[in-house]
Structures are given as C-alpha cells and as structure tokens.
Amino acid sequence: MNMDRYRIGSDDKLRLKDYDPEDTAGFKDKDEVQEKFEDLLDRLAEQQDRLFASRSNGVLVVLQGMDCSGKDGVIKKVFGGINPGGFRAYSFKKPTEEESAHDFLWRTHKDVPAKGYIAAFNRSYYEEVLITRVHGHVSDKEARRRLKQIRHFEEMLTTQNVLVVKLFLHISPEFQLEKIRDRMENPEKLWKFDPTDLQERQYWKEYTSAYEDAIRRTATDGSPWHIVPSNNRWFRNYLVLRLLVEELEKLGLEYPKPELDLSAFPIEESSLEKIDAEKETNSSSRPLLA
C-alpha cells in the first residue's frame, strides 16, 4: 500500500476531483483490515507511552473536512484506546466575543499540545480561511495573508518539536446527503442534525475551491497534508490510524535513561523474601467464601 498517494507536499498541485472518496486501496471490506487495525492500535498506544515518557515532542492532529465527513468518528475510533491522560480533543465552533477580539490564531494556539501530549483539533484555525472566505467575511487577499501566516505558524510549531499531522477527510456530496438524511430519519441520530448543514451544501463548489487553495498554500515537506478518502468509514479510520502511527514512529521516540545511579539503592534479597512471606501468610489466613 503506497501511502505517498495520500500525501500532499510542497511541490504538489492539488485537485480534489483527482482523489476518489470511495477509494479503499484495494481492500474489499472491514474484515480485511481488522487485524492490521488492531495491531496499529497497539502500536499507537506504545508510541503514546514513549511520547509521554520522553517529553521530547508534542503531536497536533488537525482534522478538517466537509460536514458529515466524520471528524468526531475518527477521534472516537482512532484515539479511543490510548491513555486519556495524555490526550486532548478540541472542537472549534463559532468564535466567542472574547476570541473574536484576539488575532485569528489565538484561540487555537493556546490549545496546541505541550511536549508529551497528543491533541486532536476537530476543525481548527483553518476555519478562519474557509467558512469566513466562502461567506465573504474576509476577502481573498486577506485569506491569502492568513494562509501565509498559518504556514509560518506551523513552521514555528515544527521547530519547537510539535509534529503537525494535517488530515482532510474527503467525502462526496452524495455521501454527505445520505448521512444528513440518516440523521433526520433516525431518532437516535436526530440530535446530530443541524439545519445549517443543508444550507452549507449549497456552497460545495466554493468550499472545495477554498480547501484546495488552503491545502496548496500550507502543504510543506515538514508539515504535509494528507487526503483521506472517507466515504467508507472503516477505511477512513484505518488510513488515519496508519498515517498517524507511521508519523509517530518516524520520530524515533525512546524511553528516557534514568539519571539516578540505581546501584545506590540496593534491594536486599532478605527484604524481598520477607515481603513474599507476608503475602503468603495473609493469603492463607483469609476466610474461605461459602
């Protein structure tokens, strides 16, 4: 499986129509990747443990995509098995009055993960050059200025040992409509339905153009984008997990070597034997359950 086909670097000319949202890399169904998926979950947990122990890097996962592309689902399926103490998920909606009073990066910058931690952004600072641009709240000139600033921002994060993994969850308009209908008709999913999703569908071409421009202008060799075909949820989750694990393993994370001289803390065998004897005594003295 060639992972480079999903990677957008600094020299790439992106057109989203060249990527099939139905793509599954030749896999037929979920069963074909289930064993691989479980292995990747174990590898992710191991990398998170090394990350937290070494405190050498932070990891920021940026999830972008059209409505119903599955950003929440990725967070649930991919990160559900790691230690929640070292993971944070943030969802960015309409800016508050306080957030709007600051520069456009302020509200997201403060949630960039510290070294040792992983953070996932469900939407991100990219919304400031997407929905704002599509609806005319910022001009094309201002959007291009912000994209340049975002590029510099991500370069700064990279130099500060923050790994930025940017993922565009790619779906078709037909798939989105199917999901919206499912939310409207299924009582258990009705709470997910937002009338604005139907309104925003009218701007599909404009959003596509805005995404293409944003990805082209901010994809670098040090902070590339990844196009994730997402019409098939099982493949979306598998590909995101594999991309993330491979990026983490490239960091070469290691457990820190102890600074203490352990020979200065001898443990006598007699002490261990005493502890074992006490355990055996306590166990034998417990009353048997009737």
Side-chain angles (χ1 to χ4, degrees), residues 153-184:
F153 173 64
E154 291 175 344
E155 289 174 350
M156 181 273 292
L157 293 181
T158 300
T159 61
Q160 296 298 310
N161 289 341
V162 177
L163 172 65
V164 183
V165 182
K166 299 182 290 189
L167 306 167
F168 175 73
L169 307 184
H170 186 31
I171 60 173
S172 66
E174 295 81 12
F175 178 84
Q176 185 195 61
L177 183 58
E178 176 186 338
K179 289 301 175 184
I180 291 176
R181 283 174 174 164
D182 185 41
R183 291 177 179 181
M184 295 174 68

Side-chain angles (χ1 to χ4, degrees), residues 3 6-7 40 165-167 226-228 238-248:
M3 301 297 284
Y6 306 108
R7 184 179 186 275
L40 286 167
V165 182
K166 299 182 290 189
L167 306 167
H226 299 87
I227 308 299
V228 180
Y238 168 72
L239 184 56
V240 169
L241 180 56
R242 179 165 172 176
L243 285 168
L244 180 58
V245 169
E246 291 186 358
E247 290 300 312
L248 279 167

